[in-house]
Amino acid sequence: MESSSQRGEFDYLFKLLLIGDSGVGKSTLLLSFTSNTFEDLSPTIGVDFKVKHVTVKGKKLKLAIWDTAGQERFRTLTSSYYRGAQGIIMVYDVTRRETFTNLSDIWAKEIDLYSTNLDCIKMLVGNKVDRESERIVSKKEGIDFAREYGCLFLECSAKTRENVEQCFEELVLKILETPSLLAEGSAGVKNNIFKEKPPQSDASTSRCCSW
Ligand code: GDP
């Protein structure tokens, strides 16, 4: 996957979501992917999505990646957050078991309830593997969950950037292999359903919500 600074033209527009308990590292993961930096973030507030342009297998993609803006703490994510998503990244913290069990107890149920797109690709991500000595959730548990739930799986560290790019790349590759999602991605371009503010850097942030 190549980052691209060219924003004018793109072949497909995909909406990706980050979900999971507060504090698992969703915003850091997003920041790490979109701007290659790690910084200690206070809990996410006010950022709804970031945009990244990438080239994958010769196709120019515009990825609109939605973060929960802290609302997951109050369990107030609604159907509009999930609507029109082609990919969902479910994040847990390998050092906090409840963030893993909540994926099946809460988050998977919410996806079933709100995500109307049956073909939507899901990816399970165990974050903070740089804290290996504090690990509570084994890699095998992640693999087993992913197998049972039928989703992709990777462990990563948003801090060291280990596997961060791969998480998004694997998800996007799978989306590109799914004809119905490709059709949605190109319809998004045609209908111009997403309006981006003039970006200041490679990644742009916007609060407008025009999906
Ligand atoms: P969110 O609430 O899920 O968006 O979580 P944040 O991105 O705000 O991260 C919560 C805390 O975990 C912050 O203090 C981050 O700096 C820290 N954090 C995020 N990712 C990692 C990681 O991969 N490794 C370590 N050690 N800390 C991380």
Side-chain angles (χ1 to χ4, degrees), residues 11 56 60 62 68 73 92-94 97 110 118 125 135 198 200 208:
D11 305 315
V56 179
K60 289 186 191 148
K62 179 172 177 171
T68 56
R73 278 178 296 157
Y92 66 95
D93 175 347
V94 298
R97 176 156 301 277
E110 195 165 300
L118 292 177
V125 171
R135 179 196 278 273
Q200 286 107 31
C208 77

Side-chain angles (χ1 to χ4, degrees), residues 100-128:
F100 181 67
T101 50
N102 279 346
L103 286 175
S104 46
D105 293 348
I106 295 170
W107 294 108
K109 290 185 181 132
E110 195 165 300
I111 292 174
D112 290 345
L113 190 66
Y114 289 134
S115 175
T116 46
N117 190 340
L118 292 177
D119 291 333
C120 177
I121 309 295
K122 286 143 206 143
M123 168 134 216
L124 177 69
V125 171
N127 188 36
K128 307 198 187 180

